[in-house]
Amino acid sequence: MKLTPDDKADVARHEALLAELLQIAEHVLVENPQVELCPRQVALLERLESAFAGQNCPPGISLLSGGLAEDDYRSPAAIRYLDAVDTTPRHDWRALEPQLLRACEDALQYLEPKAFCYVLPAYLRQYLLRPDFMCTDSIFFVMSHTSWNSREKLALLTPAQRSVVQDVMNEYRWREQTINGDCDDSLLPWEYDCYRSEGSDVSAHTYAGNLALEYAMRFGMVN
């Protein structure tokens, strides 16, 4: 693939930025070792790995490079070149390194649905293992009803995948509720549909808090 000098400069800037972000992620990773999971969280992690077992991503689809801020400014030729030489694992999402996920923490906002469903469990897995390591806004906001293309991306999930994604979301909500005394009003698309169909006069913020409370009650975390 022939690149112009400007294209080569785009590629070089991309590689330099990725290297810098990977270095930052490595330092943050050291500061955030894996947490000790409680039985509820262990079961949740096992459900996540089971539901997404065998999930893969076909070639020719950009994976994590879309998360870099500079990507919007790269030339089409540079993008095609970087996609062609991309060696990111595509048959086992568990092989995606936490440093790479952190360095490309905004990637979920840019990915097309098939790539999104491939890398999503990797991000959720890292959240469960290292809740302070990943950028939770990037993970959970992009799945919410307020994200412009979340419905299209999440439509590809199987019922089992939707169920475990919802419980990881509730785990996140409950953690926010416990630590900060509050959780935001982000609802998954199907949760938002239920919220709208019920005609509830409570706010979406309260509705999300109630979902977190129901989750906690299910596992005996509260009376």
Side-chain angles (χ1 to χ4, degrees):
M1 184 179 298
K2 190 172 182 179
L3 297 176
T4 68
D6 286 344
D7 296 332
K8 291 179 181 178
D10 280 346
V11 171
R13 282 194 295 270
H14 169 88
E15 292 176 339
L17 177 59
L18 179 58
E20 179 184 350
L21 293 174
L22 283 170
Q23 188 175 28
I24 294 172
E26 181 65 34
H27 289 301
V28 181
L29 179 66
V30 171
E31 295 170 358
N32 292 273
Q34 290 188 19
V35 299
E36 184 176 350
L37 302 182
C38 69
R40 176 192 75 257
Q41 294 165 326
V42 170
L44 186 55
L45 182 59
E46 291 174 351
R47 284 176 55 207
L48 179 72
E49 296 190 349
S50 175
F52 285 90
Q55 192 88 5
N56 57 47
C57 182
I61 296 179
S62 177
L63 279 180
L64 296 173
S65 62
L68 299 179
E70 194 176 350
D71 283 3
D72 288 344
Y73 308 101
R74 285 189 290 135
S75 67
I79 292 173
R80 288 194 299 272
Y81 171 80
L82 288 166
D83 286 349
V85 299
D86 184 5
T87 59
T88 307
R90 292 171 182 266
H91 299 288
D92 185 0
W93 54 267
R94 294 171 300 177
L96 294 170
E97 295 290 339
Q99 298 94 321
L100 184 61
L101 296 172
R102 173 61 189 260
C104 302
E105 61 189 8
D106 292 330
L108 290 172
Q109 300 181 38
Y110 297 87
L111 298 178
E112 60 181 85
K114 287 184 179 179
F116 176 88
C117 291
Y118 174 68
V119 301
L120 177 62
Y123 280 92
L124 297 179
R125 181 175 185 270
Q126 282 305 312
Y127 168 70
L128 291 173
L129 294 175
R130 300 178 176 90
D132 295 318
F133 173 65
M134 300 306 297
C135 180
T136 54
D137 290 342
S138 297
I139 300 174
F140 295 104
F141 171 76
V142 77
M143 296 192 297
S144 76
H145 70 285
T146 56
S147 181
W148 68 275
N149 60 351
S150 63
R151 189 175 295 274
E152 176 188 4
K153 290 177 176 178
L154 294 171
L156 296 183
L157 299 181
T158 68
Q161 290 171 345
R162 282 174 48 146
S163 176
V164 71
V165 164
Q166 185 165 358
D167 272 353
V168 176
M169 183 77 146
N170 279 321
E171 183 74 24
Y172 162 68
R173 289 176 180 136
W174 185 249
R175 185 172 187 270
E176 291 295 296
Q177 190 91 352
T178 303
I179 294 177
N180 301 322
D182 197 6
C183 67
D184 62 30
D185 60 355
S186 295
L187 298 172
L188 295 166
W190 58 86
E191 294 175 337
Y192 182 70
D193 291 342
C194 289
Y195 168 64
R196 296 285 292 176
S197 66
E198 290 176 4
S200 177
D201 57 1
V202 302
S203 67
H205 183 281
T206 301
Y207 192 86
N210 289 340
L211 290 174
L213 181 59
E214 290 172 8
Y215 173 80
M217 292 176 65
R218 195 197 323 164
F219 292 98
M221 294 145 69
V222 292
N223 295 326

